[in-house]
Amino acid sequence: MIDFIRQFFLDLYEVAPRWNFIFFHDPVQWERVVEGFWVTLELSVACVIFSVLIGIVGAWAQGSPNRVLRAVVQGYIQFFRNTPPFVQLLFFYFALGQFTPTYSPDGWLEVPVITNVGWAIISLSFFAGAFNVEIFRSGIEAVPDSTKEAAEALGFNRLQTYIYIVFPLAFRVSLPALNNNLVNLVKTTTQALAIAVPELLYQFVGIWNDYPSAMYPSLTMVFLIYIGLVGILVFSMHRWEKAMRIPGYGL
């Protein structure tokens, strides 16, 4: 930490003890904040990637001629969309986690193959993926039938039509709604606190438990950091929307 920043917050603490930004003048607490930030970033990136992949595959399966496959996808959507993500997180970690295999790296302690971070990624990805399936489905339905028929007339099979024609157009149509869902997903990563994932909120709660005078500064920093993270995501998505603009297609 830069010396004048450390000294400024030390002086502030002496003048106003309730505003103890201890993470700016204590190297140990600063390391906790940095670790929490990186875990939040890794969690957000992993969940965004997996949820989008789930959405793409699920939207394709929803249009399948196989009735059983469509029913499975519909059941998945209803299950994850109609139950709270917090309950899903606890269910995955505490209930399903009991059935996952373990290993013993030192011969004494049994460690589960899927860690709490892994369960958080799985649970939150499936939750956001259910919404992404519906978002991509609405995008696919916005593609004119004449476009699909033209692809079939050129000899494309269903998978080729989906990959090369339908999905690129549907993806562009889906971007605004996808943007909203991904922003919501990044904010939902704070719920991983419940299964002791050392993300940003977990670290700040730990700091103000150890130093009660740091409660207000910790909450302020959590707000500011998430505003910054979400702002970067929204800005990037808007730039992406403009880059993928389709002239003459109404987008």
Side-chain angles (χ1 to χ4, degrees), residues 158-224:
R158 180 175 176 270
L159 182 60
Q160 290 172 324
T161 302
Y162 182 78
I163 293 174
Y164 298 116
I165 307 296
V166 175
F167 185 73
L169 292 172
F171 190 79
R172 177 59 186 85
V173 173
S174 305
L175 270 181
L178 182 65
N179 185 5
N180 289 334
N181 194 37
L182 296 186
V183 166
N184 187 49
L185 173 60
V186 170
K187 293 183 291 186
T188 308
T189 58
T190 55
Q191 297 187 5
L193 162 77
I195 57 173
V197 173
E199 45 77 55
L200 204 55
L201 184 59
Y202 177 93
Q203 298 290 4
F204 276 113
V205 169
I207 290 172
W208 89 55
N209 281 336
D210 294 341
Y211 303 91
S213 58
M215 184 177 72
Y216 300 140
S218 297
L219 288 171
T220 304
M221 285 300 296
V222 169
F223 270 111
L224 293 177

Side-chain angles (χ1 to χ4, degrees), residues 58-71:
W60 176 80
Q62 264 198 327
S64 169
N66 188 321
R67 185 179 299 178
V68 176
L69 183 58
R70 293 201 307 272

Side-chain angles (χ1 to χ4, degrees), residues 43 47 85 89 119-129 185 188-189 192:
L43 199 60
C47 290
L89 191 66
W119 280 118
I121 292 173
I122 292 171
S123 173
L124 296 175
S125 297
F126 274 110
F127 167 69
L185 173 60
T188 308
T189 58

Side-chain angles (χ1 to χ4, degrees), residues 69-91:
L69 183 58
R70 293 201 307 272
V72 169
V73 175
Q74 193 58 31
Y76 156 71
I77 293 170
Q78 296 305 324
F79 177 81
F80 282 94
R81 195 174 58 178
N82 298 340
T83 53
F86 187 70
V87 174
Q88 294 169 19
L89 191 66
L90 297 179
F91 173 76

Side-chain angles (χ1 to χ4, degrees), residues 36-49:
F37 177 79
W38 284 116
V39 172
T40 293
L41 200 59
E42 291 169 2
L43 199 60
S44 300
V45 171
C47 290
V48 164
I49 292 172

Side-chain angles (χ1 to χ4, degrees), residues 48 179 181-186 227-239:
V48 164
N179 185 5
N181 194 37
L182 296 186
V183 166
N184 187 49
L185 173 60
V186 170
I227 287 172
L229 281 176
V230 171
I232 292 171
L233 176 62
V234 170
F235 176 77
S236 302
M237 292 293 288
H238 285 166
R239 291 293 299 270

